[in-house]
Amino acid sequence: MKTAIITGGLGFIGSNLIRALTQNNYFIINIDKISYASNIKNIFSDIKNYKFYKLDINQKDKFIDIVKKYNPDKIFNLAAETHVDRSIENPKNFIKSNILGVFCILESLREYKKSNKKKIKLIHISTDEVYGDIKLGKKSIETDRYNPSSPYAASKASSDLLIYSYIRTYKIPAIITNCCNNYGPGQFPEKLIPTIIYNLIKDNNIPIYGNGKNMREWIYVDDHCDALIKVSDQGILGEQYNVGSGIKLNNIEVTKKIISLFKKINNKHCNSKIIFVKDRPGHDVCYSLNSSKIKQKTKWRPKNSFDIGIKKTIEWYIEKFDTSFFNKKNYGKRIGLIK
Ligand code: NAD
């Protein structure tokens, strides 16, 4: 049995990754500070080989104690502030978790390495947003220059670069992955897809930023988790891997597809309409990834079409979302507008 520390394992992708790892014979240590984005359903009381620590990754001494206690084979770092609008509203939290937090993890690994022969692999989960806006029809590759637009993207870009410096200088065994937009069960309803589904469930109108033409590549979360496990086993240390599905849709296309599927699944009349609202400041028009490298190296392929993934997602929200999150007050509240 392998041992893995997951940071941010009460969040959207981390919780789905924990489920995937337990099916691959892992002992899991989940470290999460428990924030508004954490999911109560992710306490994992049904999993045997599992430990949870309520901890901010910035608490370096406690973090290193956990690392020394369990001597994990891998650390998957998913602890982060993740919502672009929140980063526009309050960038400081993003610097703290996404840059200083990663610095603490790196320092812990540097300290661990001084007295331990075991190589702990760090898998750092980053985003396509580090590459910034690209022209329609183009795709970002791993060697492209970073060009982040939001404080969120800049904080992720910073942590990627910090990790590169620790790989080179201190020989920390790390791999960085840059994934496109995820969707699936358990995402806090402030990002596009859970916001659409939430409003459909409540029969509210669906707010779309700007003209709705912003294009993203969309991956079902299980496919991302599968890629992370494959990269952690087969990826080359010190390298970076893009993870994309190849499924590109603009926000209006996403919304229309979800409305149509929601009506079929729910089988009742729905009054929700699309309404266009003021755009996000600095809103990137298009992200798209070239994911040839991971496909060649690990033979990973995404398995879920958008229709299949969205069906599973809608079903989860209809059944579970009302009782899932710690913070019920801020669903749908607009933030991140510069006055
Ligand atoms: P999320 O916001 O749903 O969950 C993040 C979790 O991390 C929360 O449970 C939160 O409590 C925890 N956390 C935050 N700061 C912490 C800290 N300082 N110490 C301990 N725990 C902390 O996020 P997500 O969507 O699951 O994203 C996970 C990672 O994947 C992030 O690094 C994000 O940048 C990256 N990513 C996300 C997407 C996406 O579409 N969601 C796409 C590409 C990459």
Side-chain angles (χ1 to χ4, degrees), residues 79-96:
E81 293 295 333
T82 59
H83 187 37
V84 173
D85 289 349
R86 286 179 193 267
S87 82
I88 296 167
E89 189 91 3
N90 186 359
K92 198 173 173 186
N93 290 342
F94 288 70
I95 307 304
K96 195 164 173 245

Side-chain angles (χ1 to χ4, degrees), residues 11-13 32-33 35 38 56-57 82 97 126 152 156 182:
F12 165 46
I13 302 172
D32 196 300
K33 70 175 181 183
S35 72
S38 303
D56 191 311
I57 52 170
T82 59
S97 283
S126 189
Y152 163 65
K156 295 298 291 184
N182 285 226

Side-chain angles (χ1 to χ4, degrees), residues 208-214 275-280 283 334:
I208 297 293
Y209 292 178
N211 62 12
K213 300 260 172 74
N214 307 70
I275 49 159
F276 292 95
V277 297
K278 197 169 176 198
D279 207 356
R280 164 187 288 164
H283 204 175
R334 183 74 198 263

Side-chain angles (χ1 to χ4, degrees), residues 136-255:
L136 282 173
K138 296 260 180 238
K139 291 178 177 183
S140 302
I141 59 166
E142 287 84 351
T143 48
D144 279 353
R145 187 172 86 87
Y146 277 14
N147 191 23
S149 306
S150 68
Y152 163 65
S155 68
K156 295 298 291 184
S158 306
S159 61
D160 292 6
L161 297 181
L162 196 57
I163 289 170
Y164 268 126
S165 77
Y166 273 66
I167 291 170
R168 170 115 187 202
T169 308
Y170 304 111
K171 312 282 177 257
I172 297 295
I175 294 173
I176 297 167
T177 60
N178 298 81
C179 191
C180 63
N181 274 27
N182 285 226
Y183 66 95
Q187 188 174 31
F188 188 76
E190 63 184 354
K191 314 268 169 68
L192 180 69
I193 287 182
T195 298
I196 297 168
I197 301 173
Y198 166 76
N199 282 308
L200 283 166
I201 291 171
K202 296 288 169 195
D203 222 12
N204 296 336
N205 287 336
I206 301 162
I208 297 293
Y209 292 178
N211 62 12
K213 300 260 172 74
N214 307 70
M215 177 82 78
R216 299 289 181 265
E217 190 169 347
W218 291 98
I219 191 168
Y220 187 63
V221 66
D222 284 356
D223 286 327
H224 182 194
C225 295
D226 182 30
L228 294 176
I229 295 172
K230 288 209 164 65
V231 163
S232 75
D233 287 331
Q234 301 166 43
I236 298 172
L237 292 174
E239 299 241 340
Q240 176 173 5
Y241 294 88
N242 286 345
V243 184
S245 63
I247 300 167
K248 275 167 273 179
L249 296 166
N250 72 35
N251 292 349
I252 298 176
E253 290 166 332
V254 166
T255 313

